Amino acid sequence: MPINEALFAAMKATSYIKPNAGKSYKLQRVAEELIAKQAPANPKCRVKDAFAPMADGYAVPLRVFTPLVAYGAPLPEALEESSANGTPVASAISAILPAVLPKVLPKIPIKESTSSGNTDGISGNANTELPSVTPHGTILFFHGGGWTTGGINLYTQACAHMAVRLQRRVISVEYRLAPEYRFPTAVENCYEVARQLFAGELPISGVGGSVDVDHPQSAAPTAPTGGGDISATIPAPDPDSIVLFGDSAGGNLAAAVSLMARDRGEFMPRTQMLLYPVVGNDYNPETSPFESVRTNGTDYILTAQDMADYIDMYRSSVADLTNPYFAPLTAHDLSNQPRTLVLSAEYCPLRDEDEAYARRLQLVNDNVSCYRIHDGIHGYLLNTSAVGLVSTTYRIIEHFLDDTPLVPAPGTGTTANAPEGGDAWQDVLGTD
């Protein structure tokens, strides 16, 4: 399906202007934190910070989002919602900021925001009575960013919207980033948080207090600071109600945690959702088995070279490339995996490997769904211009999780992506 010409020209220019990921990830982090500080809080969601202790003494920061009102319900007048509630920061802007950041950073005013800290996520009178909401379940969310960028601050607005839209508690995980912490640190962090959640051992720190959470790139702390009752725990949810969810590198981590859980036998996720996940290991256009690396690998912001850089920064050795916890598509055995939803993006270099992973899962599991989002580019979950794509994605997720009707709706993407009456998505596996 042809993409809007003006949008394509803008993406192509951005792809050529921005430096490759291997040269810009540090500036990218600065840019993302800068953008995160500008994001308004979502008053329909309560936000609390927590920490999960690792075996090496490190405390992985978490952010817990709890919906306060039913999706679509109005707030009391005392709690007026920000007009920017629906979608978070623009990934396209974030992608090019590292190229210009050194020149513009001193001139950018920084607005203090509570949305990236420990807050109730509500404005006005924090004691205002709100309707009672019982979350339908828990989403354990692993953020994207090529294992080197991203974080709970950047994804705070997206996770708040996710919690309200899906009426589920969302726990966002600030796993340690590469290249400071290479494979398997990130996946082991995510696995341990998941294990603690399933076991009812996930501790809460700083609830009701003020805890500042920075990117965990310095020496690992032995314990979080800021006070609070660190002996409290998040009660173990019904295992059937827990969903592993990740986008991009976070989708890779969700898939890897599911494989690791099956192999270790300590717990077993029942449901996973993978949004344009990284599941392969070869992004050289000359050797990759996937055509989307060649057709979508230069002009759509995330490039094939970016992916090669991310792989090099994440791996500890060449042997990692064939480790299924590093590249799930290399797994010889994909049996006994959770009920799975895979969402690919039409103009993403990872599109074909995502759909191949779904097909391989389907060969040995009868609980796999896969949809291609038309007009989608990699990272659209964090793009303010992608309101239609995000809405389409949530409609599919609601169908997958709650069995709501999924009726084809033309023209719901960012570019009225079906101008002649086509659908906003494609059912890749041909099943409902």
Side-chain angles (χ1 to χ4, degrees):
M1 180 176 297
I3 199 167
N4 177 278
E5 291 184 5
L7 178 61
F8 174 71
M11 288 190 298
K12 186 172 182 178
T14 299
S15 301
Y16 282 94
I17 291 173
K18 72 178 184 67
N20 290 332
K23 298 178 181 179
S24 66
Y25 72 93
K26 289 183 179 180
L27 284 174
Q28 182 78 14
R29 291 176 185 170
V30 175
E32 290 174 350
E33 289 300 313
L34 175 67
I35 292 172
K37 287 180 182 293
Q38 312 304 308
N42 185 335
K44 291 187 175 181
C45 185
R46 176 174 289 113
V47 183
K48 294 291 186 181
D49 282 343
F51 296 83
M54 301 292 105
D56 62 2
Y58 183 78
V60 170
L62 311 172
R63 188 154 290 157
V64 183
F65 303 81
T66 305
L68 296 175
V69 296
Y71 176 63
L75 283 171
E77 290 184 6
L79 300 176
E80 294 183 359
E81 184 175 7
S82 163
S83 61
N85 156 55
T87 52
V89 298
S91 60
I93 296 175
S94 174
I96 65 172
L97 267 179
V100 297
L101 194 62
K103 297 180 180 179
V104 304
L105 185 58
K107 302 178 182 179
I108 299 178
I110 304 300
K111 179 184 69 176
E112 293 301 324
S113 170
T114 58
S115 64
S116 61
N118 189 6
T119 175
D120 280 341
I122 55 179
S123 58
N125 183 358
N127 296 318
T128 299
E129 217 174 290
L130 287 169
S132 176
V133 172
T134 300
H136 298 165
T138 298
I139 294 174
L140 187 61
F141 182 76
F142 308 129
H143 67 80
W147 307 282
T148 67
T149 64
I152 58 177
N153 288 343
L154 184 67
Y155 277 77
T156 287
Q157 206 177 1
C159 288
H161 179 61
M162 185 189 306
V164 176
R165 175 71 189 248
L166 299 179
Q167 290 291 283
R168 285 167 169 82
R169 177 176 56 187
V170 175
I171 302 175
S172 182
V173 180
E174 182 95 317
Y175 55 85
R176 283 176 277 190
L177 300 178
E180 294 87 346
Y181 299 95
R182 293 176 178 265
F183 179 82
T185 301
V187 67
E188 291 288 359
N189 284 174
C190 293
Y191 175 87
E192 178 58 18
V193 173
R195 187 200 66 75
Q196 291 180 29
L197 176 63
F198 275 84
E201 299 173 0
L202 202 58
I204 301 175
S205 172
V207 172
S210 177
V211 180
D212 293 326
V213 181
D214 295 321
H215 262 299
Q217 298 309 308
S218 57
T222 56
T225 60
D229 178 10
I230 62 173
S231 63
T233 59
I234 296 176
D238 175 1
D240 289 336
S241 73
I242 299 175
V243 179
L244 303 187
F245 185 22
D247 71 317
S248 190
N252 166 280
L253 294 170
V257 166
S258 293
L259 290 169
M260 193 176 284
R262 177 201 63 188
D263 297 342
R264 295 182 180 180
E266 295 181 289
F267 66 94
M268 192 60 224
R270 272 60 161 185
T271 306
Q272 65 177 354
M273 303 189 303
L274 315 177
L275 176 58
Y276 37 77
V278 184
V279 291
N281 59 15
D282 183 2
Y283 299 97
N284 182 335
E286 296 182 0
T287 58
S288 171
F290 299 113
E291 187 61 25
S292 61
V293 171
R294 287 174 282 278
T295 58
N296 298 339
T298 56
D299 297 334
Y300 301 96
I301 300 178
L302 177 72
T303 67
Q305 184 59 56
D306 287 335
M307 284 307 308
D309 288 350
Y310 288 136
I311 290 289
D312 285 343
M313 286 189 285
Y314 183 44
R315 67 178 177 87
S316 296
S317 68
V318 174
D320 292 339
L321 295 175
T322 54
N323 186 321
Y325 305 151
F326 182 95
L329 193 56
T330 67
H332 297 297
D333 180 10
L334 290 178
S335 63
N336 298 318
Q337 285 301 278
R339 180 170 175 249
T340 301
L341 172 65
V342 177
L343 294 168
S344 67
E346 182 177 9
Y347 294 106
C348 173
L350 310 180
R351 182 196 66 205
D352 292 351
E353 70 181 57
D354 293 344
E355 295 170 8
Y357 189 65
R359 292 187 179 99
R360 281 203 54 206
L361 282 171
Q362 188 189 39
L363 291 175
V364 288
N365 304 276
D366 59 1
N367 51 3
V368 181
S369 300
C370 180
Y371 297 87
R372 178 186 296 182
I373 306 300
H374 289 165
D375 277 3
I377 63 169
H378 193 89
Y380 69 75
L381 183 67
L382 293 184
N383 195 322
T384 51
S385 68
V387 175
L389 297 178
V390 174
S391 178
T392 291
T393 296
Y394 277 119
R395 290 176 61 203
I396 294 172
I397 289 174
E398 288 164 341
H399 174 68
F400 176 74
L401 292 179
D402 302 324
D403 201 28
T404 59
L406 184 60
V407 180
T412 56
T414 52
T415 60
N417 60 344
E420 298 179 0
D423 297 340
W425 63 79
Q426 174 185 342
D427 186 343
V428 173
L429 299 181
T431 59
D432 191 24

